[in-house]
Amino acid sequence: MKRWIGVGLALLLGVAVVAAVVLGNRGSSGGGGGPAALVTVRGMIGSEKKPFFDDPGVRAAFARHGLRVEVDTAGSREIATSVDLRKYDFAFPSSVPAAEKIKQERGATRVYSPFYSPMAIATFQPIVDVLTKAGVVRDSGGGYQVLDLGKFLGLVAKGTRWDALPGNTAYPARKRVLLTTTDIRTSNSAAMYLAATSYVANDDDVVSSSAQVATVAPVVAPLFLDQGYSESSSEAPFEDYLAIGAGKTPMVVIYEAQYASRLFAADGAIRPDMRLIYPSPTVLSKHTLVPFTDKAAEVGRLLQEDPAFARLEAKYGFRTSDPRVFAGLVASSKAPIPAGLVDVVEPPTYEHLERLISTIQQRYLAGAKPSS
């Protein structure tokens, strides 16, 4: 009797093994619709979009279309100049100039710009009060406050320190009045700040010639050189702002999306004394996907046209082609974010922006000393 029980158990085990093999083969061939059936698409993106692509909801949305999107990160300038893109299906920098450079070099025929974010400044109410008294921050008339870049450049040109500002008892720090940025040599957020300040330094006009680059570069270079060490990723200085506060980072150039996403999340990261203001003028960071394959083009199309992705993009603070999605989140969260901005300018072309950056980079390498 025991012998027959043993034989029966062996037969059952054999059936289980065969079933497992058959089901496994179905999954690997794509017939089962499981994870192995997904087509992997690899992309190189700006670091500020990594949380979006890591979101389980975003992964699930791609999976419903048969896609698994895997990403690596780098600064947008690095993506356009030094990253080997041959092993990727798409590049997704944070600006149109970088995307156009990639498009030309790779011979791509199309691009997708599914969302954008204005450049903004994360700061604190006491800092806003001090700069308002100094005449540098003012009300826009549209429900938000702006930092006048023309007047701000005047402070930087004189090497003004915080403790020298009139009536400043809230932040009497013995350091220069500067905005914290990422490294201009690698990061798009710093490059967009350069685009806005170069416009002001060029008599309120987009830099469009080598002669203008030569004139403007010495004016804007101290904005970056006088900071000392700068992070290469846009996430790092914003995290310092959130965690350490005004002592280290009184004002930091960010993407509006970074601040908005934390407000929408209501996770307590944005404290009552924190404020979001905008440079005047500002520029829009238009996140632009350059596909090298048909599947990557499908990724771009979904991000740009699918309402499900638009809702996910807005969750991370990005403004999409349908303003109602972003506006709905602003209204429901009562976030102090304007529906739109008026004083917005275009960045220089890639070539002229690159010349400005290269000129500042040469000063870095030459060991340029901060202005006195």
Side-chain angles (χ1 to χ4, degrees), residues 186-204:
T186 59
S187 174
N188 179 71
S189 59
M192 292 298 96
Y193 176 50
L194 173 61
T197 52
S198 66
Y199 180 93
V200 174
N202 194 43
D203 296 325
D204 292 336

Side-chain angles (χ1 to χ4, degrees), residues 152-357:
F152 183 73
L153 285 176
L155 289 181
V156 175
K158 293 183 290 188
T160 307
R161 298 178 183 270
W162 285 102
D163 61 357
L165 290 174
N168 176 13
T169 58
Y171 189 71
R174 182 66 181 163
K175 60 182 180 180
R176 289 178 177 80
V177 179
L178 291 167
L179 296 179
T180 297
T181 72
T182 46
D183 193 329
I184 187 62
R185 297 167 292 181
T186 59
S187 174
N188 179 71
S189 59
M192 292 298 96
Y193 176 50
L194 173 61
T197 52
S198 66
Y199 180 93
V200 174
N202 194 43
D203 296 325
D204 292 336
D205 203 2
V206 178
V207 172
S208 58
S209 71
S210 297
Q212 290 174 347
V213 168
T215 301
V216 167
V219 178
V220 296
L223 297 169
F224 306 95
L225 296 174
D226 288 6
Q227 291 183 59
Y229 174 76
S230 298
E231 299 278 2
S232 59
S233 162
S234 57
E235 288 299 312
F238 184 58
E239 289 302 321
D240 282 350
Y241 164 81
L242 294 176
I244 302 175
K248 182 179 186 297
T249 314
M251 297 189 296
V252 58
V253 175
I254 63 168
Y255 300 105
E256 177 196 66
Q258 293 175 277
Y259 198 97
S261 65
R262 303 310 286 262
L263 283 174
F264 296 160
D267 58 4
I270 304 299
R271 300 189 297 276
D273 65 330
M274 292 176 168
R275 295 292 180 269
L276 184 70
I277 64 176
Y278 296 84
S280 179
T282 190
V283 294
L284 303 181
S285 177
K286 297 178 183 177
H287 299 260
T288 304
L289 187 148
V290 185
F292 312 137
T293 65
D294 288 341
K295 283 299 180 183
E298 178 66 3
V299 171
R301 187 194 69 78
L302 289 170
L303 290 173
Q304 184 166 292
E305 299 176 6
D306 191 311
F309 281 97
R311 290 189 291 271
L312 290 163
E313 289 155 8
K315 169 186 170 183
Y316 281 90
F318 297 116
R319 296 177 185 248
T320 69
S321 57
D322 184 354
R324 294 172 299 179
V325 180
F326 184 83
L329 275 178
V330 170
S332 63
S333 64
K334 296 182 172 58
I337 297 175
L341 302 171
V342 176
D343 194 5
V344 179
V345 299
E346 291 295 326
T349 63
Y350 176 84
E351 289 74 16
H352 292 115
L353 187 58
E354 183 67 17
R355 287 194 185 105
L356 279 168
I357 295 172

